[in-house]
Amino acid sequence: MAGNLGELEQLVLLALLRLGDEGYGVTVRHELETAARRQIDLGTVYKTLLRLEEKGLISARIGPPTAERGGRRKKLYWVLPAGHRALDRSLEALRRMASGLSTALEGR
């Protein structure tokens, strides 16, 4: 069972959920850039995916070769039930911590 999630791990899990069946390194990075407005090195994305996989929160499979990649295969990722639970706990903790702080947060 995984411990607490870091911010980047949370964002990567959310990106994978948004991407559905199309979650691989490049698309995850694109989601982070567009939805989260975060510039993340592709190597950092892959390191985070590997860490989440080692924690048992995501799984991966090798997809079929694609013409757009010159016949190379993509490693596709998806969130496992344990990843859903870890993300739920992490987001709930953030909601509890932020509860009642809207005035303090708006002033910044």
Side-chain angles (χ1 to χ4, degrees), residues 24-59:
Y24 67 101
V26 172
T27 57
V28 168
R29 180 181 179 202
H30 184 262
E31 276 300 309
L32 295 173
E33 289 176 348
T34 57
R37 298 186 184 133
R38 296 279 300 268
Q39 297 294 317
I40 307 290
D41 180 71
L42 190 56
T44 302
V45 170
Y46 279 112
K47 286 177 191 174
T48 304
L49 288 166
L50 179 60
R51 189 168 56 250
L52 290 169
E53 196 172 8
E54 289 171 348
K55 288 181 172 186
L57 302 179
I58 65 173
S59 191

